Every structure is written in structure tokens, then in C-alpha cells.
Amino acid sequence: MKSELGISLLINPDFTAALEISRMIQFPSAMHIESFAGGLIDLSEVKITDGSPIANMDVSHISSKYKNRLLICAVSRSSEVYIPNGDFVVKPGDEIYITSNHKYLGSIVRSINPSKRIKNVKKVMIIGGSRIAFYLTNLLRAQGKNIIIIEKDYSKCEELSEKLKGASIICADANEYDILREEGIENMDAVVTLSNLDEMNLLLSIFAASLNVPKNITKINNLRLKSLVPDSATDSIINPADTARDIITNYIRAKKHADSGEMKTLYRLIGGKIEAAEFVVDERTKNIGKTLGNINFKKDVLLASIIRKNKFIIPGGSDIIETGDRIVVVSKGRIIEKVNDIFE
């Protein structure tokens, strides 16, 4: 289709949203997961509770505690956002964003918040038989999860039953909470609400949380509604428009500056206040071979990760960047369009 119609970029927002939800289920103790370098590096959002071992600890000591396997690259506290330095103290209630190697992330996130530790998710209830639900079920079935889909439209249920072998399709109105109890919502490891109504999704998540379902993921289109819901009711929010926007923005910026270091991935975090971008270092990149401690980076810009020959490096003052590296850059209040924008 792309070649025949001359389309430069083709996006499936529903499939992209399903991929994001599947990552949230893979790491249920985290609120959100984003990936870089083909899945080698993950960026995770974690809410810090009073019982967290890193509560009231400064960033440099946290890095030492985890043997430099993670880097805290952004912190959201009330209405403020920070790019933390080593002296920054993490407090209960903070939402922190960490980068880490994919293979370490699960154990790190569980360790950071022991009170939010969630066992591996095996049983998932999906409310709403949308296209996102279809893609998500295929992804989760491939991981060996047991899936129940609740959908009130009979024709949709018939179609899903034909296409989704191995999943249980229940034709019922999810607003009838007694039906959800009959189908075992209390025994679910995760509930994902994907109806077309934001208000319904949020209310169903509150209901699931009241039954102590460990993981609740909610799709909403109007993010302003999030403030009306207690934090305990929704572990994770998914907005398909956000995912599509990030892909489009990434593509436009990469094309605009194709002559100065390729942008591979872009995510906008905390309502767009923070951006995390992945670039490829090439011969046109400044400061190649210099130690990071001798490079002047712009204010509120953080080099969060270096990926070199599939090896993950937490950047330190004695490290350098080399041609061929992939680097993850986190910035606050500024747009980084090309790799050289990070330098003074």
C-alpha cells in the first residue's frame, strides 16, 4: 500500500496502543513503559510510595545502590517537572522516569516499590471488543496469557470468537457489575478497559481497583478526565492519539534534519513537558571522542543512555560518544530536533 499509493509513513494507532498496553502488562509494577534501540533499552514511569527503599534518597546514592544499572532521567512532583542531578532527593509521591537495560528493568521496578509489587500477570479481562482489544489479545495470547473479553454487541462477539481462538468472549454489558463478578473480575491479575466511552472506562477501573485487582489499564481520549480519578484507581493510562502523534512528530523531525544525526525514536512524557529521543551518532555529530565531563550540554538536557554494539551504558563523566552509538536524550522545555542541539 505504501509503495503503490506513494505513502511515506503508514500508522496503525490501534496496534501501536496494543503494543504499549502489552508492555505495561509485561512490567505490571510500572505505570508506563517506552522502548528504545529495538527493545534493548526501556524507559519506565514509577510512582514512589512511603515504603520505597529509595524514598528520601538522593539520585547519586540511588545509582550506587543499583550498581549503575539505572538512571533517573526525569521527576514529576505535583505540578513541577525536574531533570535531576546527583544531589536531587526523591520523595514519596514523586513519579520518576528511569532508563535501564530491558533485562534488568523488571527486578528494578519491583525493588523500587515493594508495596506495588505485582506477580506475573496470567489472567487478563479486557472490557470492550475494539480493534485495540483484537490486537492486544493476539499479543497476550502469544505470551501465554488467559484472556476474557467482555463485549455487549452480539455481532462483534461472533466476529471475535471466529478470529480469536483460545480467548473467552462474553457477550454482556460491562455496566452490569454483577456480570463482571460472575466472570471472575476479582480473580483477574489485570483489567484493561477499552470501551468507546472515557467515563465508562474510568468507572470500571475504579470498580476493579475496589476489588483489589492488581493492575488496571484505562484507555481515555480526554486526558483532562484523569485528574478526576484517584491515583489508586488507575495504574496506567493509554491515549492512542498520543502514540500516533509521537510517531508522526518523530518522522517529521527525522526528515527535516536528515543531514545531521538520525532520530530513531521520540516520546513525549508528562503532558509534553519532557521529551525523550533516540539519535544515531554519525561523523557530523560534535564532540565525538571527548569525555562527557568536558562537554558543555545545554540546560535541562540529559544524556540518559548510550547503546554501543548492543551494550547498554549509563553515561558517566569519563565516558565518550563514538560514531555509530545510539544515544537517548531527555530534555525539558526545549525541542531537540537533531543530535547537535544537545550541545552548547
Side-chain angles (χ1 to χ4, degrees):
M1 185 184 294
K2 287 177 67 175
S3 60
E4 290 181 5
L5 299 180
I7 298 172
S8 300
L9 178 66
L10 198 62
I11 303 171
N12 185 335
D14 294 326
F15 183 68
T16 304
L19 279 173
E20 187 170 342
I21 294 170
S22 70
R23 287 198 296 266
M24 295 176 187
I25 289 174
Q26 186 179 5
F27 298 101
S29 297
M31 298 170 68
H32 282 95
I33 300 287
E34 310 289 6
S35 294
F36 299 94
L40 180 65
I41 304 302
D42 288 322
L43 187 153
S44 172
E45 178 186 1
V46 183
K47 182 72 173 282
I48 301 302
T49 61
D50 289 319
S52 172
I54 69 170
N56 301 307
M57 185 182 292
D58 65 55
V59 167
S60 62
H61 282 90
I62 294 170
S63 181
S64 298
K65 177 180 176 66
Y66 289 93
K67 300 179 180 178
N68 291 319
R69 289 182 173 179
L70 67 83
L71 186 143
I72 299 177
C73 52
V75 177
S76 176
R77 178 180 295 165
S78 300
S79 59
E80 296 297 322
V81 177
Y82 305 90
I83 301 287
N85 58 23
D87 297 326
F88 185 93
V89 176
V90 172
K91 297 185 178 297
D94 287 351
E95 293 176 5
I96 68 170
Y97 292 78
I98 64 174
T99 53
S100 180
N101 191 309
H102 178 80
K103 66 181 180 180
Y104 299 134
L105 184 68
S107 59
I108 287 173
V109 170
R110 288 191 297 271
S111 171
I112 285 175
N113 258 347
S115 64
K116 290 285 186 179
R117 188 174 294 169
I118 301 172
K119 63 182 179 179
N120 290 334
V121 172
K122 296 180 180 178
K123 296 180 291 184
V124 181
M125 178 178 284
I126 300 173
I127 298 176
S130 62
R131 282 193 296 267
I132 297 176
F134 171 78
Y135 293 128
L136 179 61
T137 299
N138 281 321
L139 291 168
L140 297 181
R141 286 293 297 158
Q143 299 171 17
K145 314 295 186 189
N146 297 317
I147 311 298
I148 294 176
I149 299 177
I150 309 291
E151 168 57 51
K152 68 178 181 179
D153 185 282
Y154 185 78
S155 60
K156 270 191 180 180
C157 290
E158 282 190 319
E159 182 181 1
L160 291 171
S161 295
E162 292 175 3
K163 294 182 177 179
L164 296 174
K165 304 303 181 183
S168 298
I169 313 299
I170 308 299
C171 191
D173 187 349
N175 282 313
E176 301 291 338
Y177 289 0
D178 287 343
I179 292 176
L180 297 182
R181 287 181 181 272
E182 289 175 11
E183 298 303 330
I185 188 172
E186 294 169 86
N187 300 317
M188 293 295 121
D189 300 317
V191 170
V192 184
T193 55
L194 298 175
S195 83
N196 292 324
L197 298 174
D198 288 355
E199 294 82 0
M200 178 177 171
N201 290 337
L202 291 168
L203 288 172
L204 288 169
S205 290
I206 292 172
F207 175 63
S210 73
L211 299 176
N212 297 315
V213 174
K215 183 70 177 178
N216 291 293
I217 301 172
T218 307
K219 178 183 78 73
I220 59 174
N221 297 310
N222 183 358
L223 290 174
R224 288 176 293 182
L225 293 175
K226 181 181 177 182
S227 61
L228 303 177
V229 182
D231 289 341
S232 59
T234 54
D235 298 300
S236 304
I237 297 288
I238 178 75
N239 183 297
D242 271 354
T243 60
R245 180 184 59 197
D246 287 346
I247 294 170
I248 295 168
T249 304
N250 180 10
Y251 179 80
I252 292 172
R253 290 192 194 172
K255 283 293 183 182
K256 183 178 178 181
H257 298 284
D259 62 340
S260 183
E262 184 182 0
M263 178 187 285
K264 301 294 290 185
T265 313
L266 172 70
Y267 297 110
R268 301 173 76 251
L269 312 171
I270 320 177
K273 295 178 181 178
I274 295 287
E275 289 194 353
E278 175 190 354
F279 294 94
V280 175
V281 175
D282 60 26
E283 65 278 359
R284 294 159 295 193
T285 304
K286 298 176 182 177
N287 296 309
I288 290 176
K290 284 187 179 181
T291 57
L292 299 182
N294 291 321
I295 296 175
N296 292 321
F297 291 92
K298 288 183 177 177
K299 183 181 178 182
D300 288 328
V301 170
L302 176 69
L303 182 59
S305 304
I306 300 172
I307 304 96
R308 179 176 301 145
K309 297 178 180 178
N310 289 326
K311 181 182 178 182
F312 170 65
I313 301 170
I314 293 287
S318 60
D319 288 307
I320 63 172
I321 55 175
E322 299 177 355
T323 303
D325 287 351
R326 290 190 178 203
I327 60 173
V328 177
V329 176
V330 176
S331 60
K332 170 192 169 185
R334 64 171 71 243
I335 294 175
I336 304 299
E337 294 193 321
K338 53 187 185 295
V339 66
N340 284 329
D341 286 345
I342 70 177
F343 307 116
E344 288 287 6

